[in-house]
Amino acid sequence: MTGLLRTKAINADHHLTDTGLRRVLGPVDLTLLGIGAIIGAGIFVLTGVAAATKAGPAIVLSFVVAGFACAFAAMAYAELAAAIGGCGSAYGYSYAGLGELIAWIIGWDLILEYAVAVSAVAIGWSAYVNNALQAAGLALPPQLLKGPLEGGLINFPAAAIVLILGLLLSLGVRQSVRINAVMVLIKLLAIGVFIAIAVSHVQPANWSPFMPFGWSGVMGGAALVIFAYLGFDAVSTAAEEARDPQRDLPTGILVSLAVCTLIYILVAGLLTGVVPYPTLNVGSPVADVVLRLGYPWGAGLVAAGAIAGLTTVMLAMYYGLTRVFLAIARDGLLPPLFARVNPRTQTPVRVIAVSGVLMAAIAGLTPIGDVAELVNIGTLGAFFLVCIGVVVLRYTQPDLPRPFRTPFAPLVPLLGAASCLYLMASLPLVTWLRFGLWLALGLAIYFTWSRRHSALAGSD
C-alpha cells in the first residue's frame, strides 16, 4: 500500500530545471493556446445542439454553470501549475500530492481525454472541409469520408489532418504556436462577424419560454457543453516550455477561460434570440443562422472560422497529449523510449509519431459516436482531483511557495470538486461503463508493468 501512495518530491524551482524542451512561450502565447483549445466544436456545433435538445434559451445558464465549475477548477490548476509545474498537468500535480496510483489513473484518463478529443474533432473537421470543397465543386467521394464500419474505406481528411498536425508539432513548439495564433485570430474574426450580424436580428419572443426543459435541462445542457470548455488544462502542460511558468501559466489559464466564457454566453444568447431554439439542432448552427439571415458571405466566413477553430483545438489537445505522455514516461510508468526529446527540434518526436498514427487510425477508420462523451468524464475526473490536490497540499505542504493562491481556499476548490462530481453524475450510464473499461485496462497495465518500473520503485 505504501508503494501505491508514494509521492514525488516537489521542486519549487522547476523553472530552473533543464528538461530538453525549449522555453519560448510567453503569457500571450499561453493565452492564445488556451483560447485555441477551448473555442472550437463547442461554439460552432454543441451550442445549437444543446439549446435544441437540452436547455432551450436557458443554454445561456448552462454555459454559466459549466463556466463556474471550470473557473473553480481553473483557479486550482493555476495554483498547482505555479507551485509544482512540469508538463504532466493534473498527472504531475496528483503525483506530488495524492500518490502514484491516483497519478497514474489521472494520467491514463488524460491520455484518453486528449486522444479521443483529437480524433472526434478531426471527424468534425473533415465534414466542414468537405462542405467547403463541395462549394468549390471539388467534393471528395463518399468512400474517402467514412471508415469501413460505415460503408467507406477511410475518412481521409480526418486521418490526414492528424498526421499533418503531428508533423507540425515535431518541427518545434514555436512554429506550432505561430500557426495556432493565426488560426485563433481567424476564428475570433468569424465570431465577431456573427455577433455583428446577429445583434440587429434578435427577436425577444424567441427567448420565451426561457427554460422549456426546466432546471434538469439546464444541468443536462451544462454536462454536454462542458466539452466546450475543455482545453484550458492544456495550457498547464506547457510549463516546461514557458519562459516564466510561475507567473505566465496562471495568466494563460485564467484569461483564456474568462475570454471564452464571455464569448460562449454572448453567442448562445444571440443564437437563441435570432431563431427559435428547436431549429438549432444542425451540424453547423452558427453558419446556418447567418445563412438564414441572408448573409451567404458571412456564412462562408463563419465556416472558415469553424475550420480554423477545430484545427486549433486539435493542435492544442495533441500538444497536451504528447506532454502528458512524456511526463509519465519520464517517471518510468510508460516505456522509457518515449521519455526522450529530440535534441535538434527539442520536441518528443517519438511520442508525437506514435500517438499521431494511433489517433489518425481512430479518426480515419472508426465511427467515433458517443465515445466523445468519454472526453467529458475523463476531464471532469482530472478537474476533480486537481481541486482535491489543492486542499491536500495546503495541509501537507503549508510552506510550499505559491506564486498564485486559489482564493477562499478550501471553499473554492471544494466547490470545484463538488461541481465536477455533479456534472459527472449527469452523464449517461453508457459513458460510465466505457470509462470503467478504460480504467480497468489502465489498472491492469499499472499493476503488471508500471508499478515495478516506476522511477520511485527503489524508494519503497
Side-chain angles (χ1 to χ4, degrees), residues 114-380:
Y114 289 131
V116 174
V118 171
S119 303
V121 174
I123 293 173
W125 183 93
S126 173
Y128 267 100
V129 167
N130 189 56
N131 289 340
L133 292 174
Q134 278 181 324
L138 301 171
L140 293 173
Q143 292 84 355
L144 295 181
L145 294 170
K146 298 178 181 178
L149 297 177
E150 297 175 296
L153 295 176
I154 186 174
N155 190 329
F156 178 75
I161 187 60
V162 174
L163 295 176
I164 291 170
L165 292 177
L167 178 61
L168 176 62
L169 287 171
S170 297
L171 295 176
V173 67
R174 170 52 68 191
Q175 290 83 348
S176 302
V177 166
R178 286 173 179 166
I179 296 294
N180 178 74
V182 171
M183 291 190 178
V184 166
L185 293 178
I186 291 173
K187 67 181 177 183
L188 290 179
L189 174 63
I191 292 170
V193 168
F194 165 75
I195 293 172
I197 291 173
V199 72
S200 61
H201 292 82
V202 170
Q203 300 179 39
N206 288 325
W207 288 327
S208 181
F210 185 68
M211 295 177 61
F213 302 97
W215 185 250
S216 62
V218 172
M219 295 309 299
L224 179 60
V225 301
I226 196 77
F227 182 90
Y229 287 100
L230 310 184
F232 73 81
D233 57 331
V235 177
S236 65
T237 67
E240 295 177 17
E241 287 152 295
R243 289 195 294 265
D244 187 352
Q246 293 179 314
R247 182 197 67 187
D248 296 343
L249 285 177
T251 300
I253 291 170
L254 297 174
V255 172
S256 62
L257 181 63
V259 169
C260 294
T261 299
L262 292 175
I263 290 174
Y264 278 141
I265 292 172
L266 183 57
V267 170
L270 288 174
L271 273 177
T272 54
V274 170
V275 299
Y277 73 87
T279 67
L280 292 172
N281 191 14
V282 294
S284 52
V286 180
D288 184 69
V289 165
V290 174
L291 196 58
R292 278 193 267 172
L293 293 176
Y295 298 88
W297 62 268
L301 185 55
V302 169
I307 293 172
L310 296 176
T311 304
T312 60
V313 169
M314 286 186 287
L315 184 64
M317 293 292 189
Y318 195 163
Y319 171 87
L321 167 65
T322 60
R323 271 43 179 187
V324 171
F325 206 112
L326 173 66
I328 298 174
R330 287 197 309 211
D331 291 332
L333 302 182
L334 286 172
L337 65 94
F338 295 120
R340 297 170 190 163
V341 174
N342 185 285
R344 185 173 63 84
T345 64
Q346 293 182 285
T347 57
V349 173
R350 293 182 181 180
V351 174
I352 293 170
V354 171
S355 58
V357 169
L358 290 175
M359 290 187 296
I362 294 171
L365 304 175
T366 309
I368 208 72
D370 292 336
V371 178
E373 288 181 334
L374 285 169
V375 179
N376 290 18
I377 195 169
T379 308
L380 287 169

Side-chain angles (χ1 to χ4, degrees), residues 411-454:
L411 177 60
V412 166
L414 288 177
L415 284 173
S419 301
C420 292
L421 283 178
Y422 191 86
L423 290 172
M424 290 172 74
S426 301
L427 291 169
L429 176 61
V430 66
T431 301
W432 280 91
L433 294 175
R434 290 168 177 158
F435 181 67
L437 290 174
W438 179 256
L439 181 59
L441 176 61
L443 290 174
I445 293 173
Y446 176 78
F447 283 107
T448 58
W449 194 89
S450 302
R451 188 183 179 200
R452 291 184 292 109
H453 292 85
S454 168

Side-chain angles (χ1 to χ4, degrees), residues 45-135:
V45 180
L46 283 183
T47 305
V49 174
T53 64
K54 298 287 186 182
I59 186 63
V60 174
L61 297 181
S62 297
F63 275 113
V64 172
V65 170
F68 268 110
C70 288
F72 296 145
M75 286 187 278
Y77 262 94
E79 175 170 323
L80 297 187
I84 299 175
C87 64
S89 183
Y91 157 78
Y93 311 152
S94 299
Y95 212 157
L98 302 175
E100 183 174 279
L101 178 60
I102 294 177
W104 166 259
I105 290 172
I106 206 61
W108 188 245
D109 289 345
L110 286 173
I111 290 174
L112 174 70
E113 169 202 338
Y114 289 131
V116 174
V118 171
S119 303
V121 174
I123 293 173
W125 183 93
S126 173
Y128 267 100
V129 167
N130 189 56
N131 289 340
L133 292 174
Q134 278 181 324

